[in-house]
Amino acid sequence: MIHVILVFFWRWLIVIAAAFALGGCAVVSEFKPSVAVRAMTPDEYVALRRGDLLGKGKLSALTVQTIRVTGLDEWACAANASLTCIESLTMMKDLDGETRLSALAELWLQHAMSISTTVSNSRTASTSAWIETARHAYAYLFFTGRSPGERAFEERQTQVRDWYNYAVQKTVTQLFGLQHQALRAHAGGANAAFRLGNWVLRVDLNARLPNDATTPRELLPANALAFQGLRGIYRRDGLGAELVAVTDAEPISLNDSDGSPAGNERPRTFPAWSEMPTPNVTVVLRFDALTVDELLASHELIVGVYDPLVQDYLQLHGQRVPLAGNFTAGYGLWLARSGFNQQSVRGLFGRERGIDHPHLYLMQPFDPRRRIIVMMHGLASSPEAWVNVANELLADEKLRCEFQVWEVYYPTNMPVPASHAAIRQVLAAALHHFDPDQETLASHGLVLIGHSMGGMLARLMVSTADQQLWKWAASDPRIDLDRLGSTRSQLDPLLRFQPFPGVDRVVFVATPHRGTVVAGQGLGRWVAGLIRLPLTLLSTLGDAFPARAETTAHATILQNIPNSIDQLDENDPFVKATSELSISDQVAYHSIVARRQANGPLADSDDGLVPYRSAHLDGAESEKIIVSGHSVQETAESIVEIRRILREDISKHWLTAADSSSVRGGSCPVQR
């Protein structure tokens, strides 16, 4: 028995020795399994599935795997993304197309990132590398066996799309720096071509820049802009680089001179409206090819520029592809650079570089297929009052599809009837300019949203005044109608009017329809005393107001004209007169009312400035009470309520349009 055991033992010993002598396999030499397993942590899982150059600064796991299985030098490829590695992988035609092209896209991405930071005086080479990144990602997306829709749930496609979008962003911003003059020359022409190295590029412009600008002054990546003061950044995932095109189309004050020598200045005439000068655009690099080989051999591409508010998808190579879009960056950049916060205060007190005429801002180039929301801010304010309201309305696809936003910016020191008449004039002129025959959807179904004094102006916009305000003017001791004589007609547009045509709905937010006690006491009276009205007001109102002394000096005349704070006083005769004007029965209206404290009788509540008894309106379709201070329009509850009102308005508007011959249309984005 012992002899048998010894024989068995020696036989195994000989086998093991032979295995060692021959080099052996790992299983034998190490006496352990060839594959080990352990639990993966959540961080490791995320890194494996989603980690890549853009997220982790390292090649993705699938690209590293491709390098390994093809026998390339893993460390050389991963560390340097050498062109030799790229060329070797390019030659491996027997490798699965999706695997090879996606790995090549990331290797080109690494190469482009490397030379962008290390190679000086070689921006052309850098831009060409970014184009190669975009080209190989494009080949993966549209020239492999499966369509983008078939890979919709795959993380790899999301990675490749992100590499493409980032490469397009880098390509276009670098092209803008290298070829700014060429782009300026060709931006207005379809299919205009220019060269970069061995590439021929054509610009396909599908987005109109604001105020007829031909090319941007700056082109900024939207994802590189961080904002404070905005509660959310709203965008749409898809194909393309999200950019902000900054133009030179800043509005100029209507009373600016024309630059003539001192003493010879002539007033310049400017439109009282302008489009926001920082629109969001989406850029796509398109490659016209029928096969992947044709695509990878070509050196021609198309730079397609789109408006994400107008288009939400493209047709590329037989595929319906969502178009990326950012709806916040341009708006946020405009407000950040506007200087409204200081200008509105200077305007209130009549200081230099303040605003003295209303101006209308269109938040996007005029779209005849979208109805218009007109927003009017309150005292000592500006379009900044709507910073989160406008932004979050644009975040709602249904509202974005139906409406375009216009914001009124007006001097809040002016008498309310003067501001009302001027705003009417500006709004009417803008609508006539864009739609002279009132044939488009934009001229019908307007919605007004007014906060505080802006709500008072909105109410006048939808009210009828025949002799009521003339009676007020005749009884107000500050006004001398006898001095008007033949110029009496100067005041008629201020005191007699009909509801503004086309307005269907109004939202009053913290509006002092019957004035406020604060305006007539203490701090309110002190601030009112500091207000100085602009001399331009005299051209319309001066003759109606007597001087306190014998002198007829302009400054003395202006002292007698009631300013905006005077007319917010609950005891002011003008407020009492306007509170009795009838609102058109063709207009639906809603109230959003703030109260500082949740407890206590509603009738006795206020928001710190406006009491409930002044903000409440009988006949409103809805009244929303929100616990807040006076700036209630910026609260989440208020924005939710405005969104609810607008969504209901859409349903009612289209139901009415379906049953009548009224103007109809479609405002949803279109394909290309």
Side-chain angles (χ1 to χ4, degrees):
M1 183 65 179
I2 294 174
H3 175 74
V4 173
I5 293 174
L6 289 173
V7 170
F8 181 79
F9 174 77
W10 281 109
R11 285 178 179 176
W12 272 107
L13 188 61
I14 291 170
V15 170
I16 293 171
F20 274 107
L22 295 173
C25 65
V27 176
V28 177
S29 63
E30 299 179 15
F31 293 98
K32 64 180 181 181
S34 60
V35 176
V37 63
R38 65 175 177 81
M40 185 182 294
T41 67
D43 287 346
E44 289 176 318
Y45 173 80
V46 171
L48 178 65
R49 304 283 292 181
R50 303 174 190 170
D52 61 8
L53 280 172
L54 296 183
K56 296 290 185 179
K58 298 179 180 180
L59 291 174
S60 65
L62 286 178
T63 297
V64 172
Q65 177 178 293
T66 301
I67 293 170
R68 288 174 180 170
V69 299
T70 52
L72 297 174
D73 186 332
E74 176 184 341
W75 298 109
C77 289
N80 303 313
S82 66
L83 291 177
T84 301
C85 181
I86 292 174
E87 291 169 1
S88 298
L89 191 57
T90 300
M91 298 303 294
M92 295 182 180
K93 301 295 185 181
D94 57 340
L95 190 64
D96 173 71
E98 290 187 6
T99 301
R100 181 169 58 90
L101 289 171
S102 62
L104 282 169
E106 191 173 14
L107 289 172
W108 272 112
L109 174 66
Q110 188 181 49
H111 180 65
M113 294 171 72
S114 174
I115 64 173
S116 292
T117 57
T118 61
V119 179
S120 60
N121 302 319
S122 186
R123 296 185 67 183
T124 298
S126 171
T127 305
S128 296
W130 288 114
I131 293 175
E132 290 293 353
T133 305
R135 169 157 64 177
H136 284 80
Y138 195 89
Y140 164 88
L141 292 170
F142 299 109
F143 287 89
T144 50
R146 295 186 296 166
S147 69
E150 292 175 300
R151 295 187 299 248
F153 294 99
E154 293 185 13
E155 307 247 4
R156 188 57 163 177
Q157 177 161 273
T158 301
Q159 284 182 324
V160 177
R161 183 209 63 191
D162 288 346
W163 302 336
Y164 170 86
N165 289 352
Y166 187 68
V168 173
Q169 172 189 303
K170 298 294 289 187
T171 298
V172 173
T173 53
Q174 289 189 6
L175 280 174
F176 187 79
L178 289 167
Q179 301 283 341
H180 190 210
Q181 294 304 317
L183 289 172
R184 181 178 290 275
H186 298 311
N191 299 321
F194 60 95
R195 282 191 167 273
L196 178 79
N198 61 348
W199 284 94
V200 176
L201 303 94
R202 289 187 290 117
V203 177
D204 181 19
L205 189 63
N206 301 281
R208 185 176 71 78
L209 293 179
N211 310 301
D212 300 320
T214 57
T215 189
R217 172 167 48 85
E218 295 178 80
L219 202 58
L220 305 176
N223 61 13
L225 301 174
F227 298 99
Q228 294 180 343
L230 289 168
R231 279 200 293 263
I233 304 297
Y234 299 106
R235 51 177 306 281
R236 178 177 61 223
D237 275 336
L239 193 74
E242 302 158 28
L243 303 168
V244 179
V246 182
T247 70
D248 290 315
E250 293 289 349
I252 305 174
S253 177
L254 293 175
N255 64 344
D256 279 0
S257 70
D258 64 354
S260 302
N264 298 319
E265 296 93 341
R266 298 186 305 276
R268 290 197 289 183
T269 301
F270 295 98
W273 62 86
S274 60
E275 296 159 334
M276 188 180 71
T278 53
N280 299 296
V281 297
T282 301
V283 180
V284 172
L285 297 185
R286 307 199 314 264
F287 300 83
D288 284 345
L290 298 178
T291 66
V292 66
D293 291 335
E294 182 181 337
L295 167 63
L296 297 177
S298 173
H299 281 84
E300 295 185 3
L301 63 84
I302 301 169
V303 182
V305 184
Y306 304 92
D307 183 345
L309 286 169
V310 175
Q311 293 181 234
D312 63 353
Y313 68 92
L314 304 176
Q315 286 287 352
L316 295 175
H317 308 284
Q319 303 295 317
R320 187 178 189 272
V321 183
L323 181 71
N326 191 301
F327 307 108
T328 294
Y331 179 60
L333 185 65
W334 172 60
L335 288 177
R337 294 182 173 183
S338 67
F340 285 145
N341 57 336
Q342 296 181 10
Q343 189 181 44
S344 60
V345 175
R346 289 196 299 263
L348 175 65
F349 295 111
R351 301 296 186 256
E352 292 183 0
R353 300 190 310 278
I355 181 173
D356 58 11
H357 285 78
H359 193 92
L360 187 64
Y361 286 101
L362 284 63
M363 296 295 99
Q364 65 183 87
F366 176 75
D367 188 338
R369 301 166 303 157
R370 283 177 164 90
R371 293 195 288 139
I372 299 168
I373 298 173
V374 181
M375 296 181 175
M376 289 180 278
H377 59 78
L379 183 71
S381 190
S382 72
E384 287 187 314
W386 306 109
V387 53
N388 283 299
V389 182
N391 184 43
E392 292 181 35
L393 292 185
L394 288 175
D396 187 312
E397 184 177 1
K398 187 172 184 179
L399 301 184
R400 187 172 68 236
C401 198
E402 181 74 14
F403 293 107
Q404 55 192 316
V405 174
W406 291 11
E407 295 188 7
V408 176
Y409 184 28
Y410 66 98
T412 62
N413 57 352
M414 299 279 276
V416 173
S419 290
H420 167 236
I423 290 170
R424 272 183 176 254
Q425 183 180 15
V426 169
L427 185 57
L431 286 169
H432 179 75
H433 172 80
F434 290 112
D435 186 16
D437 298 320
Q438 297 186 349
E439 294 177 341
T440 71
L441 188 67
S443 296
H444 303 263
L446 277 73
V447 178
L448 307 183
I449 305 178
H451 172 246
S452 191
M453 190 166 72
M456 294 178 65
L457 294 168
R459 177 171 179 175
L460 294 176
M461 294 283 289
V462 295
S463 298
T464 299
D466 188 9
Q467 295 300 317
Q468 299 94 324
L469 297 187
W470 273 109
K471 292 179 180 178
W472 154 71
S475 63
D476 195 314
R478 298 166 296 186
I479 303 174
D480 185 359
L481 293 181
D482 293 336
R483 294 186 59 182
L484 283 175
S486 61
T487 63
R488 184 183 178 94
S489 60
Q490 286 181 285
L491 282 185
D492 205 55
L494 281 68
L495 303 180
R496 283 204 309 171
F497 44 83
Q498 295 293 317
F500 192 88
V503 177
D504 284 354
R505 194 171 299 273
V506 182
V507 182
F508 299 112
V509 185
T511 299
H513 297 285
R514 300 170 188 82
T516 170
V517 67
V518 176
Q521 298 179 356
L523 180 61
R525 294 301 331 134
W526 180 73
V527 173
L530 297 177
I531 289 178
R532 298 292 180 268
L533 298 175
L535 292 175
T536 53
L537 183 61
L538 287 174
S539 62
T540 302
L541 301 178
D543 291 341
F545 293 84
R548 290 178 180 174
E550 294 300 324
T551 178
T552 58
H554 287 169
T556 307
I557 295 174
L558 288 171
Q559 287 177 3
N560 290 340
I561 300 177
N563 58 50
S564 56
I565 293 184
D566 293 330
Q567 295 182 327
L568 289 175
D569 184 354
E570 63 181 2
N571 295 314
D572 188 85
F574 176 77
V575 170
K576 293 180 178 180
T578 57
S579 67
E580 296 176 359
L581 296 179
S582 60
I583 297 176
S584 169
D585 58 8
Q586 301 301 309
V587 174
Y589 55 93
H590 308 257
S591 294
I592 296 177
V593 181
R595 58 182 299 178
R596 287 180 298 174
Q597 304 295 331
N599 301 323
L602 178 62
D604 297 332
S605 66
D606 63 71
D607 63 16
L609 291 175
V610 179
Y612 173 79
R613 64 179 182 276
S614 182
H616 171 77
L617 272 184
D618 291 333
E621 282 200 0
S622 65
E623 181 179 83
K624 178 71 173 179
I625 309 298
I626 298 174
V627 178
S628 168
H630 185 60
S631 296
V632 64
Q633 83 282 1
E634 280 287 278
T635 65
E637 297 91 335
S638 179
I639 296 172
V640 168
E641 175 66 4
I642 293 173
R643 185 184 292 120
R644 180 196 68 79
I645 291 169
L646 293 175
R647 281 178 162 266
E648 287 189 3
D649 177 83
I650 292 173
S651 299
K652 292 178 181 179
H653 179 81
W654 288 109
L655 181 63
T656 301
D659 295 335
S660 69
S661 58
S662 61
V663 175
R664 299 175 64 184
S667 54
C668 291
V670 297
Q671 73 172 55
R672 177 176 173 80

